[in-house]
Amino acid sequence: MIIVGYPGIGKTSLANWHNDYLDVDSSRLMFDGVRPNNWALCYVKMAEDLSKQYYKVFVSSHKEVRDNLKDIRDDIIVVCPSLDLKEEWIEKLKDRWIEEPSHKNFKAWKRADEHYEEDITDLMNEPWPIIEIKDMHYELDELIDEKA
């Protein structure tokens, strides 16, 4: 199974706690701050291979990733917060950046701050099953297990 996850849903945390989940971090495909032209294709192929090994694989929600996922046959689901959580989610991402000041966390916060509604709407319109987080207090693995 491949799980497209919006920033801040808990991909890394869940993968650190459970051996059957893997977080394939797209920021690892940057070299000197630049991604290769075919990064999303390589990233999706890696996720697909891991999924075939019976892992639940988290991938980023970048449009390029989602576009490349449409060519594969694995079980795919999307996990994202609801539009109603906009202010709380942006604050959560800002707090994460303050606690862990990395380029990745800064970009996630700023992207949400500037494009939250657009990004969530795009995710909700994908052809795969959607897990919509409607409350800031949730257990990600339980939400996934209910949908899987």
Side-chain angles (χ1 to χ4, degrees):
M1 171 185 290
I2 294 177
I3 306 157
V4 176
Y6 190 75
I9 64 161
K11 298 181 294 286
T12 303
S13 295
L14 187 55
N16 286 339
W17 296 331
H18 294 281
N19 292 334
D20 55 336
Y21 286 91
L22 294 174
D23 179 16
V24 181
D25 186 351
S26 66
S27 67
R28 301 282 185 202
L29 293 172
M30 293 189 84
F31 305 97
D32 295 325
V34 178
R35 294 183 200 262
N37 290 336
N38 66 341
W39 77 271
L41 176 62
C42 297
Y43 180 73
V44 165
K45 292 296 182 190
M46 181 174 30
E48 181 182 24
D49 184 55
L50 292 167
S51 176
K52 288 179 179 174
Q53 296 176 50
Y54 303 103
Y55 288 103
K56 296 174 187 170
V57 183
F58 287 113
V59 296
S60 76
S61 59
H62 292 94
K63 180 171 179 7
E64 301 93 331
V65 172
R66 298 188 328 261
D67 288 346
N68 278 278
L69 282 171
K70 290 176 181 164
D71 295 333
I72 68 171
R73 301 282 181 248
D74 284 12
D75 288 335
I76 299 171
I77 61 174
V78 173
V79 181
C80 63
S82 74
L83 286 170
D84 294 339
L85 292 178
K86 177 181 178 181
E87 298 306 320
E88 292 169 280
W89 209 269
I90 292 170
E91 190 66 26
K92 174 182 180 171
L93 293 175
K94 179 182 177 183
D95 291 346
R96 182 176 77 169
W97 173 68
I98 290 169
E99 291 174 21
E100 293 180 48
S102 68
H103 182 67
K104 172 188 160 188
N105 287 345
F106 180 77
K107 283 179 61 175
W109 164 45
K110 287 315 229 176
R111 175 73 194 190
D113 192 42
E114 296 170 9
H115 300 279
Y116 186 88
E117 291 171 4
E118 169 192 345
D119 290 345
I120 298 303
T121 300
D122 286 350
L123 286 170
M124 294 286 194
N125 288 321
E126 287 295 354
W128 309 296
I130 308 291
I131 297 174
E132 181 180 4
I133 298 169
K134 296 181 180 183
D135 183 289
M136 295 300 286
H137 306 287
Y138 62 93
E139 295 295 330
L140 183 58
D141 55 339
E142 291 175 11
L143 294 175
I144 292 169
D145 288 345
E146 287 174 17
K147 197 68 156 190

